[in-house]
């Protein structure tokens, strides 16, 4: 009787400690203290081998933007509970980390278990098509996209994928028609404008390229890809002032974003306004997570140029 009571008491204590640790983890997650959340969940994983711990670890790594961390967490999750949902999380993690060969293997393992068309099958075929497109196997990519299309012909992201497929395969008129079809369905669909921008830039029409990107940035100032492409192409048709305006709009929402700050310094350097570049450098230096040597060299270059 005594040993059973002792066992129950110890089990209760462990459960309370587990609950308290999870509460701290979720608090850190909600407050965006992601490093502290990572420390908390890793401590839990050392003492508790449970699927929900690895799933929480996976979503933490998604929030941190660590594709490598997602793969590690998803592998542990599948080892602990190898069901279809967890296999898909592993496949997605491998896909996001560009581990394409293994992602294809896991996707095909999942497809072998599916018999009816579902959203899961749709997403798998779409992602398989993207892998083949990246490998420039355009025929295999189109075949996979077609399989996805038979499941859901109205998905606009799939239509965007078709547009990029035709663009990269050199079928420019088909790409343009596909992006136009998307905009006829949704006149503000950002990814179609970006696709058109890349298409126009491909044939040297940089003014039209930037016009499409401007449409995206007017609606969504925080769209980083559109911002970067606009910055890259804007000086090719003398609209670089608009590029600075878009960079500043982005920084209003994300004032510490190192990539946007780097673009702002780069803009001033391209304009040979070295003093403004030097004045912008301290906030970039404070938030830069890359090589300190690069920042030191940039600082020396600007000091000499002033």
């Amino acid at each position: 009787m005594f040993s059973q009571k002792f066992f129950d008491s110890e089990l209760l204590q462990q459960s309370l400690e587990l609950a308290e640790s999870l509460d701290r983890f979720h608090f850190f997650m909600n407050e965006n203290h992601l490093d502290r959340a990572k420390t908390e969940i890793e401590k839990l994983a050392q003492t508790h081998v449970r699927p929900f711990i690895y799933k929480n670890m996976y979503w933490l790594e998604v929030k941190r933007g660590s594709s490598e961390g997602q793969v590690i967490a998803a592998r542990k999750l599948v080892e602990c509970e190898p069901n279809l949902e967890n296999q898909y999380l592993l496949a997605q993690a491998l896909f996001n980390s560009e581990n394409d060969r293994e992602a294809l293997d896991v996707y095909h393992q999942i497809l072998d278990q599916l018999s009816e068309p579902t959203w899961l099958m749709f997403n798998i075929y779409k992602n398989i098509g993207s892998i083949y497109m990246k490998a420039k196997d355009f025929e295999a990519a189109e075949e996979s996209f077609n399989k996805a299309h038979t499941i859901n012909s109205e998905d606009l992201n799939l239509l965007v994928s078709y547009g990029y497929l035709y663009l990269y395969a050199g079928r420019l008129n088909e790409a343009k028609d596909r992006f136009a079809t998307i905009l006829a369905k949704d006149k503000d669909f950002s990814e179609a404008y970006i696709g058109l921008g890349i298409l126009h830039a491909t044939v040297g029409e940089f003014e039209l390229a930037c016009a499409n990107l401007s449409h995206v940035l007017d609606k969504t100032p925080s769209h980083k890809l559109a911002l970067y492409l606009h910055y890259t192409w804007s000086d090719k048709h003398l609209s670089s002032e608009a590029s600075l305006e878009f960079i500043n709009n982005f920084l209003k929402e994300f004032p510490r974003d190192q990539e946007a700050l780097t673009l702002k310094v780069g803009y001033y350097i391209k304009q040979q306004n070295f003093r403004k570049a030097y004045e912008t450098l301290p906030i970039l230096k404070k938030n830069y997570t890359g090589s300190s040597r690069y920042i030191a060299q940039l600082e020396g270059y600007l000091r000499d140029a002033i």
Side-chain angles (χ1 to χ4, degrees):
M1 178 70 70
F2 174 79
S3 61
Q4 181 64 43
K5 285 183 178 179
F6 178 80
F7 175 79
D8 291 344
S9 173
E10 186 176 30
L11 189 61
L12 177 61
Q13 182 63 31
Q14 290 175 355
S15 298
L16 289 173
E17 290 174 356
L18 174 61
E20 289 173 359
S21 294
L22 283 172
D23 283 344
R24 286 194 297 271
F25 166 76
H26 288 298
F27 172 78
F28 293 143
M29 279 278 282
N30 292 335
E31 296 296 315
N32 281 320
H33 299 318
L34 302 185
D35 289 340
R36 297 179 72 179
K38 183 175 174 66
T39 299
E40 197 68 43
I41 202 70
E42 285 179 343
K43 284 194 299 185
L44 276 173
Q46 290 173 2
T47 54
H48 300 81
V49 181
R50 301 190 187 183
F52 68 86
I53 290 177
Y54 294 126
K55 190 164 288 187
N56 276 307
M57 184 183 291
Y58 175 87
W59 291 116
L60 166 65
E61 298 299 347
V62 170
K63 194 169 184 179
R64 292 179 70 239
S66 170
S67 55
E68 181 182 353
Q70 291 170 45
V71 171
I72 292 170
R75 287 194 197 281
K76 290 180 179 177
L77 179 58
V78 169
E79 288 174 8
C80 187
E81 189 176 51
N83 60 30
L84 202 62
E85 178 188 352
N86 295 339
Q87 283 180 294
Y88 180 69
L89 290 180
L90 174 58
Q92 289 296 94
L94 292 166
F95 176 77
N96 292 335
S97 66
E98 300 187 348
N99 192 337
D100 293 338
R101 185 180 296 276
E102 191 176 356
L104 278 175
D105 289 342
V106 179
Y107 280 138
H108 284 299
Q109 289 171 20
I110 297 170
L111 288 173
D112 289 341
Q113 302 173 65
L114 299 175
S115 56
E116 298 295 326
T118 62
W119 68 269
L120 184 60
M121 185 181 287
F122 168 82
N123 282 329
I124 289 173
Y125 279 129
K126 184 161 67 74
N127 288 348
I128 287 175
S130 296
I131 290 171
Y132 283 131
M133 179 169 62
K134 187 164 57 173
K136 297 184 179 180
D137 189 343
F138 301 125
E139 184 177 348
E142 188 164 17
E143 181 181 341
S144 291
F145 288 152
N146 288 343
K147 289 177 180 178
H149 191 265
T150 61
I151 300 171
N152 183 357
S153 60
E154 297 299 316
D155 186 86
L156 296 185
N157 286 308
L158 175 61
L159 299 182
V160 167
S161 296
Y162 271 113
Y164 281 115
L165 169 65
Y166 298 146
L167 175 60
Y168 297 145
R171 296 155 61 179
L172 300 186
N173 288 333
E174 291 175 86
K176 190 173 184 178
D177 288 344
R178 189 66 68 165
F179 291 131
T181 298
I182 296 167
L183 294 174
K185 295 174 180 289
D186 183 348
K187 63 182 178 63
D188 291 323
F189 200 75
S190 296
E191 302 312 311
Y193 283 106
I194 290 175
L196 281 173
I198 295 172
L199 188 153
H200 286 300
T202 299
V203 296
E205 297 173 348
F206 294 106
E207 186 170 0
L208 287 173
C210 286
N212 280 283
L213 298 172
S214 294
H215 185 93
V216 176
L217 292 166
D218 285 337
K219 297 284 185 180
T220 314
S222 60
H223 201 299
K224 188 175 285 188
L225 176 59
L227 181 70
Y228 175 78
L229 293 176
H230 192 284
Y231 169 84
T232 302
W233 296 331
S234 62
D235 60 344
K236 297 182 183 296
H237 72 96
L238 304 178
S239 67
S240 55
E241 289 184 7
S243 182
L244 178 60
E245 182 180 350
F246 287 133
I247 292 170
N248 285 332
N249 289 340
F250 183 96
L251 288 169
K252 286 177 184 177
E253 291 193 43
F254 305 101
R256 297 182 179 85
D257 186 271
Q258 70 170 18
E259 292 171 341
L261 289 166
T262 301
L263 292 184
K264 188 170 184 177
V265 171
Y267 168 84
Y268 286 129
I269 291 173
K270 285 199 297 184
Q271 299 296 310
Q272 296 190 338
N273 191 338
F274 300 115
R275 183 167 297 280
K276 290 290 287 186
Y278 188 76
E279 290 171 357
T280 308
L281 192 60
I283 188 170
L284 171 60
K285 186 176 180 180
K286 183 178 180 180
N287 294 282
Y288 195 74
T289 59
S291 169
S292 58
R293 182 180 179 184
Y294 165 76
I295 292 293
Q297 289 175 337
L298 181 59
E299 189 172 22
Y301 167 77
L302 291 174
R303 191 183 299 113
D304 292 342
I306 294 174

